[in-house]
Structure formats: structure tokens, C-alpha cells
Amino acid sequence: MKRMISKNIILGASLAALIFTSCSKTYLDVNNDPNRPTDDNTTPQLIFTQAEQAVGSREASGDWGFLDNWMGYFAPNGDFAPSQIEQTYNIDFGFSDAIWQNHYNVLFDLYQVKTKAMASGDSVLAAASTILSAKLWQELVDLFGDIPYTQAFHYKEFPTPAYDAQKDVYNSVLLSLDTAVDYMKNLTAAKSFAPADIINNGDQGRWAEFGNTIKLRMLIRQSQVSGFDPSAEIAKIQSSGGVSDDYDVSENPGYINDVNKQSPFYANFGYDASNNIANTSINANAYILNILTNSGDPRLERFFSPSASGYNGNVYGDPTGTLTNGAGTSYFGPGLIGDGAPSSVGATQDQWIYPKYETLFLEAEAIARGWLSGDVKATYENAVKASFEFLKVDDADNAAATYLAEGGSWDDNAGASVSLQVQFITYQKYIANTGIDPLESYSDQRRLHFLTDNSYISSNPAKVANTLPLRLLYPQSEYTTNSSSVQAEGTIDAYTTKLFWEP
């Protein structure tokens, strides 16, 4: 039976530890330790750098493992017992605690950056923090619906912050992006901004474009809402420089192949500093391997590495006793964890936050819907080429051209109607996002139901439904720390309580 629970939040977020350089002090000056982090000596620039890195780490986090499994990308191997709660979709209020707390932790740091930066007159730094925050706020809404937003982090005034309506959060975030993009376009950054910025190295034009990209993603998410009109927001995007469609948005503070210093995705899904496999329980899903193999997609060997007997994956939900073990299934490939296995290249690689192929797929859908002007076929093909480039496919241009003439052909597959074109674009985005952005694929599936072959659905006979949950339930931590606010939300069900943008 479906599990029904009432809603709830925690905002127990603590500032990540920062390393400070030593300073001299006068004799017997025992009441002022310059090496101890305090509110006065913790500058917004210091917080911002580690918060940027944390945003990248969220993309690579094992917290999204259930979505990689649900969306047919990864699957448990036979070496460990899988989660029955996950495989049966019988999720409870303890299922999503890590996502909730970790996202709010990063948002707290970004809030600290914005508050401190505005207090010191550094509006550009505050704008960069706002843009990164917008990405995370949207993701929380896309998973949970209503969330604490307006009162979040004002813990003295609001120790039990109320929940804001999800549509109101979206609208507020869109307004905040307007201001942030305006600051990036028209204000001059302080000299301290570029050295602290490990994403765009102080390039304000790129920050503005990234802000517009997040806005476009939020608009696309609402495409199925009755009466939705994005024209005013689209006009703002076009008048303020467009989106980040010619570069990958990523971060790298200087990753090296050492303990706790590797690039996040490699650290979680590649190899540790001693060259041992980092993730021994998860490998390729047979579903995505079949798609890649049947279409002759050369990205197969970049997403995954072959086992001794070739490219093999498990069916998600099959009994443990029937699953192939890790050695017999395909591990993650060089396009995700760097060339060679193990590889110091992968350990030092940039951590993606938003690859340009995703932006191009958003643009292609917007063009197909008539929101943007342009050539939808050419934009779609550029998105596919960008995916090949992102994965460093050998001779990427020619390989992409061959794929676009065959399995990924627009003329053969897209169709004439808007709905068919959008479905095809989204399906190709799904393939490109293998192991990279399962939350986007999960959101697209709930929005468009573009995967009509349901063999990605768990085969576990105890599953509570033959479809994915429409949303996550609020975490256990909310019930113990913010129960009055969450109870005011009423009763929700993971299968019947839709998000505002779900059709």
C-alpha cells in the first residue's frame, strides 16, 4: 500500500570548517586568537569558495544514487543486498533526509555569503551567491514541493520556519535571478571576487548567463502548467545576454589524487587515492546499456567500462541471487571518471555543475515550443555534439555526426508536432545525462512521461506501484525539529500529491 505521511523541516546547518593562515600576535594577547574562525574574521569570500565547491559536490553526491537507479542508469550488483525501500518505491520519511539536510547546509553557507557581502557593499559577490542558491532552491522544490524559504536561516526570529508554497518559491527565485543578473551585467566586482571564484574566475558575463540558464530551466519545468506564459521571462533572458550554451559550468579548487582532495565524482564513483574501486555496490543498469547498444551510440564506452565479457548490467529490482557481481558488470567509464582506470586525470578533473549540453537541450525545447527563435534541429544537434565533447569521445565531431545521421537522427525521429519534438529532445537529453544529472531526468519523466518503455521500472515484485513516485516525502529530521510548521502542510502522498508543475 502507499505510504502516507504528514509534512515537516530542519535548518540545522553549520558553516563548513575553513582553514586560516597563521598571524602574529602581541605578547599576552590571549583574548583574541586570529587563528580561530569567528563571525568577524570569516569573510564572505572564504565562505563563497567552499560553498562553490560544495555545490559541485552536490552534483556528484551519492545522495542521488536512488535516482540513478530509478531512472535506469545504474543498478546494484550481486555483491550486496539492495535497499528494499528504494526498489519497492515504498519510501518513508527517513528516505530523503540526506538530500534535505545537505542542500540546506550549502544554502545556509550561500546565505551567509549574501548577507555578509551585502553588508560590505559587495553586490557582485552577493549576486553570485544568489545564482547558485537559485539552482539549489529549485531542486528542493522539484523534489519536495512546499519548503521553508522566506523564514529559512532567520533562526532567532523564526526558530520553526514556516513552509512557503512551492509556486511562490519559484516566483521569488525568478525575481532574485533578475536582480542577480542585473548586478552581474552592470556593476563592477571587487578585486577580491575573481580570486575567490572557482567556477567562472570572476567572469561576470558568464555568471549572468548561468543565472539565465537556471531561469530557463525553471521555465521549462513549468511547460505543462495550464495557462503558463513564459514570454516576459524569456524576453528578460534575451535582453540580458542569453544563457551559458558555449561552455560547461564547473568548479575546481585544485583537486589532486590524494585522500579527501580528489574531484568529487571521481572520489565517489572512480577510485580512491590507493587505486581501489570507490563504489563496490553499484554498476551499470541493463536498461541504459540496451539503449546505447541498440542505437550504436559510441558514448557507451565513455559512460561505462566493459567487464571481462563485455558491457553487462543488472536489471534493477531483480533478486540478489540472480544479479551479476561487480566484477562481471560494467563499472563507470572514462567519460565520467577520467581516462584510464584508475586515473590521476579523473582525480583532478573539473566537477560539473551544469554542462553546456544541458543548456543546449533546454534551448532546443524552448525553440520547439516557440518560446525562443532559432533552428530547433541545429540546436538539438549542437546539444548532442556538446555531449560527445563533454565525454571526450574519440574524434567527437565525426562520431557525433555519424550518430546524428543514424540513431540520433532528427529527421527520422523527431516528428512534426511540438509534442513529438519535445519528447525526442528530452529523450536524447536523458541519454546524455547518464550518470551526470539524474534529477533532471527524473523531473523530465514526471513532467513529460517521455520514457514509454517501462522496463526501467523496478522488477521487484513487492513494489507499491508500476510508476515512479511523484515526489519525495519530508525527512525525519523535520518531524523532530519543525513539527508544527510541517504539520500545517497537511497530509501528503508520494503518488497522489503532485507538485505544482506536474501534469
Side-chain angles (χ1 to χ4, degrees), residues 252-458:
N252 194 332
Y255 294 119
I256 61 175
N257 194 24
D258 201 353
V259 178
N260 296 326
K261 298 178 182 179
Q262 296 174 316
S263 185
F265 192 89
Y266 183 86
N268 291 332
F269 298 97
Y271 296 81
D272 65 21
S274 299
N275 294 336
N276 299 307
I277 289 178
N279 194 313
T280 57
S281 62
I282 300 294
N283 293 79
N285 192 312
Y287 181 81
I288 193 65
L289 290 184
N290 288 337
I291 289 174
L292 295 167
T293 301
N294 292 339
S295 62
D297 194 327
R299 288 172 292 182
L300 167 64
E301 61 188 36
R302 303 301 295 174
F303 286 128
F304 300 103
S305 297
S307 67
S309 58
Y311 289 95
N312 298 306
N314 282 300
V315 174
Y316 181 62
D318 274 5
T320 303
T322 67
L323 297 176
T324 305
N325 63 18
T329 49
S330 295
Y331 196 55
F332 310 111
L336 300 179
I337 62 172
D339 287 311
S343 167
S344 59
V345 173
T348 62
Q349 68 187 4
D350 293 348
Q351 173 55 52
W352 62 81
I353 292 176
Y354 210 81
K356 72 176 181 180
Y357 74 77
E358 283 202 81
T359 304
L360 285 162
F361 277 118
L362 292 180
E363 284 189 294
E365 180 172 344
I367 294 170
R369 292 185 179 279
W371 296 1
L372 289 172
S373 60
D375 185 330
V376 62
K377 175 183 176 181
T379 306
Y380 154 74
E381 291 183 342
N382 285 337
V384 173
K385 291 175 184 176
S387 169
F388 277 63
E389 293 166 358
F390 178 86
L391 294 165
K392 297 181 174 60
V393 175
D394 288 342
D395 194 10
D397 286 346
N398 287 329
T402 299
Y403 176 76
L404 289 168
E406 298 172 354
S409 169
W410 176 269
D411 294 334
D412 294 339
N413 298 289
S417 70
V418 171
S419 61
L420 288 176
Q421 290 181 359
V422 166
Q423 289 276 331
F424 180 65
I425 290 166
T426 306
Y427 180 70
Q428 291 296 324
K429 180 171 63 168
Y430 163 78
I431 296 172
N433 268 333
T434 299
I436 297 169
D437 193 352
L439 176 55
E440 182 73 1
S441 297
Y442 176 52
S443 298
D444 281 339
Q445 180 63 6
R446 291 176 291 160
R447 176 173 65 99
L448 298 170
H449 307 291
F450 67 94
L451 290 179
T452 56
D453 172 10
N454 287 336
S455 57
Y456 70 94
I457 293 294
S458 173

